[in-house]
Amino acid sequence: MTETILPHDVPNAKADPAANYSLLSVINHWLSVLAILIMVATQQLDLPSIHLSFGLLLALPLIWRVVFRLSRGFPRTPNQHPTISFLERLIIIGLLAAIFLLAVTGLIMPLLSGTAYNFFNLVSWTASYSGNQAALEMTQQVHLFCATALLPLFLLHLASFARHAIIKKNGNTLRMLKPLNGGK
């Protein structure tokens, strides 16, 4: 296995765009974190109309975030056992899949249930579709499963962050704080 040097691994090491994130990726990441926290908070506080309104506002940016990340690819992993790299990548792909499915299912549940799309009580509209109970139930189950999966995936992602920051001290965690021109 060859060693991958991140720009923060060694003082004055040459920056490697393939091992880092771009400014747009970093902004995307942190705005997505904020969006998800808003969605979780409105759900936990049992504010369904506000949850739906924020969902309508944030669904397309979150879908774009997932498509953007997948189209850009992922930065090269640090020098570590390939199994660890695979598991860390699997966690990130799980998070992206959950975010994507939450956004898509959240957008179509009102359509399938025949209820109104209500945007902060400012604008409301109902699609001219009578609904489909079986499709609605399946969509609700996917939405609930993905929402439930977010916490363990986030905790695993956070544990990976802590491993790199505290134990390995390999600079990997700085990639989401210090973007690099030409990064992924």
Side-chain angles (χ1 to χ4, degrees), residues 20-96:
N20 285 279
Y21 290 100
S22 67
L23 177 61
L24 186 55
S25 291
V26 171
I27 291 170
N28 238 348
H29 177 270
W30 293 111
L31 287 178
S32 295
V33 170
L34 180 61
I36 291 164
L37 288 174
I38 289 169
M39 296 307 298
V40 169
T42 57
Q43 180 63 32
Q44 291 301 313
L45 294 172
D46 197 23
L47 303 168
S49 66
I50 295 174
H51 183 77
L52 175 61
S53 296
F54 273 114
L56 293 172
L57 180 68
L58 300 172
L60 292 180
L62 287 170
I63 290 169
W64 180 81
R65 187 260 190 276
V66 171
V67 171
F68 176 81
R69 171 53 39 227
L70 294 176
S71 69
R72 294 288 296 244
F74 297 94
R76 187 175 21 253
T77 59
N79 185 25
Q80 61 187 3
H81 195 278
T83 303
I84 299 294
S85 292
F86 172 76
L87 292 173
E88 288 176 348
R89 186 60 44 86
L90 195 59
I91 292 164
I92 291 170
I93 290 171
L95 281 166
L96 292 171

Side-chain angles (χ1 to χ4, degrees), residues 120-157:
F120 295 108
N121 292 326
L122 299 172
V123 178
S124 182
W125 69 94
T126 305
S128 59
Y129 177 73
S130 61
N132 180 319
Q133 191 60 33
L136 174 62
E137 288 173 10
M138 183 180 71
T139 303
Q140 289 172 326
Q141 289 300 316
V142 170
H143 195 78
L144 179 61
F145 175 80
C146 291
T148 305
L150 272 183
L151 180 60
L153 287 168
F154 167 74
L155 292 174
L156 288 168
H157 188 55

Side-chain angles (χ1 to χ4, degrees), residues 8 11 83 119 144 159 162 177:
H8 313 292
T83 303
F119 188 71
L144 179 61
L177 300 173

Side-chain angles (χ1 to χ4, degrees), residues 9 77 117 132 136 143 160-161 167 175 183:
D9 281 344
T77 59
Y117 287 90
N132 180 319
L136 174 62
H143 195 78
S160 174
F161 173 88
I167 298 167
R175 297 189 304 179

